[in-house]
């Protein structure tokens, strides 16, 4: 509620506000825009905009290292370690419309059915079992292997699946294939995403092959959001360079009513802008930034918030 006492530079209202135009937010925004053409949708992204027709060459390529080194595309201010025996190192997070799907290594690899079963049974999260997830995977992908295996693959989804032919593999991959098959005795499996797959397989990627034979990344921005923007849905507004500081709450109603945003221009943060919401706020800022936004908003462990001088909205 503190944000309401400040003097923002401007404010406006939308039916839905989506915070973070990453791998999830782009999909949510696109689907909401199509499903509810009479409702206004605001998609906020802390990084820059990203249109498929203007994709830079580095983003098209399979190797993401150049993207991770670019502070205009990737947040590198978070350090993380996989275990206590490791030293922390930069954890790259997408800083652009498309988020992680625009800067990742494009491994279009599914989890094992047993893992989804464990999630559903152990953690009691309905809808995360294999049968439900398989349908989601099939709806998501456009996989050439669907012709042979329509039971496990989709052919008409927005994200194409590409597997390079063995003869195009580089020396490291070719040597690993030979060593594992000939020396260790592993078999060959054409489809790593077959639930029964075991052995050596080509690496499935979310890429498409262009007419000139080159390959190009297809992020969730390219597959979901940009087509909606190209169709000019008037109910969808995409606001880039918009850093969400916190979620605004109405204590009397015990509900979220908006977000406080600081527009980023070059390396300067401009005055605060408030966006209010009539329906729902969706936090899709990722595993790193969604919790941080909530904590700045007063939602989190009381001891931590007290130590930071943040008023507690919900412990």
């Amino acid at each position: 509620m503190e944000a309401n006492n400040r003097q923002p530079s401007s404010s406006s209202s939308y039916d839905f506000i989506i915070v973070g135009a990453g791998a999830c937010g782009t999909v949510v925004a696109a689907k909401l825009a199509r499903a509810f053409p009479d409702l206004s949708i605001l998609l906020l992204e802390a990084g820059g905009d990203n249109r498929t027709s203007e994709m830079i060459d580095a983003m098209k390529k399979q190797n993401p290292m150049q993207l991770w080194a670019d502070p205009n595309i990737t947040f590198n201010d978070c350090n993380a370690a996989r275990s206590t025996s490791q030293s922390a190192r930069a954890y790259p997070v997408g800083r652009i419309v498309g988020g992680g799907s625009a800067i990742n290594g494009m491994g279009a690899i599914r989890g094992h059915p047993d893992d989804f079963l464990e999630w559903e049974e152990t953690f009691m999260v309905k809808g995360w079992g294999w049968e439900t997830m398989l349908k989601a995977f099939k709806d998501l992908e456009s996989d050439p292997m669907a012709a042979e295996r329509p039971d496990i693959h989709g052919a008409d989804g927005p994200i194409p699946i590409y597997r390079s032919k063995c003869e195009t593999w580089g020396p490291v991959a070719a040597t690993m294939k030979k060593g594992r098959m000939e020396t260790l005795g592993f078999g060959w499996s054409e489809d790593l995403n077959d639930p029964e797959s075991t052995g050596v397989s080509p690496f499935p990627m979310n890429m498409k092959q262009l007419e000139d034979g080159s390959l190009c990344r297809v992020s969730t921005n390219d597959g979901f959001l940009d087509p909606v923007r190209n169709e000019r849905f008037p109910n969808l507004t995409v606001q880039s360079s918009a850093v969400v500081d916190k979620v605004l709450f109405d204590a009397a109603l015990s509900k979220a009513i908006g977000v406080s945003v600081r527009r980023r221009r070059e390396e300067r943060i401009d005055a605060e802008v408030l966006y209010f919401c009539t329906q729902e706020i969706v936090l899709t800022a990722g595993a790193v930034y969604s919790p941080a936004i909530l904590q700045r908003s007063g939602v989190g462990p009381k001891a931590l918030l007290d130590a930071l001088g943040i008023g507690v909205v919900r412990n």
Side-chain angles (χ1 to χ4, degrees), residues 130-256:
W130 174 243
E131 293 302 321
T132 305
M133 291 303 300
L134 176 59
K135 182 182 184 305
F137 285 132
K138 291 172 66 176
D139 290 343
L140 173 73
E141 68 184 14
S142 177
D143 192 327
M145 301 205 75
E148 301 174 22
R149 295 296 305 275
D151 57 320
I152 59 172
H153 287 301
D156 304 312
I159 303 298
I161 305 299
Y162 174 81
R163 299 171 182 83
S164 60
K165 302 296 182 183
C166 292
E167 53 268 24
T168 68
W169 290 12
V172 174
T175 301
M176 288 182 66
K177 172 179 177 289
K178 181 179 179 181
R180 294 191 177 203
M181 293 183 70
E182 295 183 3
T183 305
L184 300 177
F186 286 110
W188 172 256
S189 176
E190 189 69 33
D191 182 12
L192 183 63
N193 285 330
D194 183 339
E196 304 300 324
S197 172
T198 183
V200 180
S201 302
F203 191 70
M205 297 176 287
N206 51 294
M207 301 187 78
K208 63 181 178 181
Q209 192 161 22
L210 305 178
E211 292 182 358
D212 62 1
S214 63
L215 296 172
C216 181
R217 169 194 306 271
V218 179
S219 68
T220 57
N221 171 63
D222 306 313
F224 288 89
L225 181 64
D226 217 48
V228 172
R229 297 175 75 180
N230 289 337
E231 294 174 38
R232 300 185 184 278
F233 274 71
N235 62 330
L236 174 64
T237 300
V238 179
Q239 190 74 263
S240 59
S241 300
V243 181
V244 174
D245 181 33
K246 61 181 66 176
V247 178
L248 308 176
F249 291 93
D250 186 313
L253 297 175
S254 188
K255 66 179 291 187

Side-chain angles (χ1 to χ4, degrees), residues 17 25 31 75 79 90 97 104 110 182 197 200 230 254 259 269 273 284 296:
I17 297 177
K31 294 206 168 195
F75 285 110
N79 293 321
V97 172
N104 63 15
R110 302 173 179 176
E182 295 183 3
S197 172
V200 180
N230 289 337
S254 188
V259 294
I269 301 297
V273 180
T284 54
R296 290 198 299 269

Side-chain angles (χ1 to χ4, degrees), residues 9-305:
S9 60
S10 64
S11 65
S12 53
S13 179
Y14 293 84
D15 293 306
F16 286 92
I17 297 177
I18 303 162
V19 179
C24 180
T26 49
V27 178
V28 173
K31 294 206 168 195
L32 280 174
R34 290 188 184 279
F36 302 104
D38 295 330
L39 297 182
S40 58
I41 297 151
L42 174 64
L43 176 61
L44 297 168
E45 167 57 36
D49 204 349
N50 183 21
R51 301 305 297 264
T52 304
S53 60
E54 301 169 357
M55 186 185 300
I56 62 174
D57 288 341
M59 194 174 290
K60 297 177 182 179
K61 297 176 182 178
Q62 179 182 351
N63 191 326
M65 299 305 291
Q66 186 175 343
L67 299 174
W68 293 355
D70 188 340
N72 294 314
I73 295 176
T74 303
F75 285 110
N76 284 307
D77 57 353
C78 177
N79 293 321
R82 292 183 179 179
S83 70
T84 54
S85 63
Q86 288 183 325
S87 58
R89 52 190 298 190
Y91 180 87
V93 178
R95 183 186 179 182
I96 193 167
V97 172
S101 72
I103 68 161
N104 63 15
M106 291 175 289
I109 302 172
R110 302 173 179 176
H112 193 276
D114 289 350
D115 292 330
F116 294 106
L117 177 64
E118 182 181 8
W119 283 2
E120 191 167 54
E121 292 185 348
T122 303
F123 302 107
M124 305 296 289
V125 281
K126 187 176 181 181
W128 285 91
W130 174 243
E131 293 302 321
T132 305
M133 291 303 300
L134 176 59
K135 182 182 184 305
F137 285 132
K138 291 172 66 176
D139 290 343
L140 173 73
E141 68 184 14
S142 177
D143 192 327
M145 301 205 75
E148 301 174 22
R149 295 296 305 275
D151 57 320
I152 59 172
H153 287 301
D156 304 312
I159 303 298
I161 305 299
Y162 174 81
R163 299 171 182 83
S164 60
K165 302 296 182 183
C166 292
E167 53 268 24
T168 68
W169 290 12
V172 174
T175 301
M176 288 182 66
K177 172 179 177 289
K178 181 179 179 181
R180 294 191 177 203
M181 293 183 70
E182 295 183 3
T183 305
L184 300 177
F186 286 110
W188 172 256
S189 176
E190 189 69 33
D191 182 12
L192 183 63
N193 285 330
D194 183 339
E196 304 300 324
S197 172
T198 183
V200 180
S201 302
F203 191 70
M205 297 176 287
N206 51 294
M207 301 187 78
K208 63 181 178 181
Q209 192 161 22
L210 305 178
E211 292 182 358
D212 62 1
S214 63
L215 296 172
C216 181
R217 169 194 306 271
V218 179
S219 68
T220 57
N221 171 63
D222 306 313
F224 288 89
L225 181 64
D226 217 48
V228 172
R229 297 175 75 180
N230 289 337
E231 294 174 38
R232 300 185 184 278
F233 274 71
N235 62 330
L236 174 64
T237 300
V238 179
Q239 190 74 263
S240 59
S241 300
V243 181
V244 174
D245 181 33
K246 61 181 66 176
V247 178
L248 308 176
F249 291 93
D250 186 313
L253 297 175
S254 188
K255 66 179 291 187
I257 59 170
V259 294
S260 168
V261 172
R262 295 188 179 276
R263 295 298 310 279
R264 183 188 296 274
R265 301 184 190 280
E266 296 179 350
E267 290 306 312
R268 183 168 58 88
I269 301 297
D270 284 353
E272 178 187 42
V273 180
L274 302 184
Y275 293 107
F276 294 99
C277 179
T278 64
Q279 298 284 334
E280 193 166 327
I281 298 168
V282 185
L283 279 186
T284 54
V288 173
Y289 293 105
S290 283
I293 291 170
L294 285 172
Q295 289 171 4
R296 290 198 299 269
S297 308
V299 178
K302 184 177 185 302
L304 172 65
L305 300 181

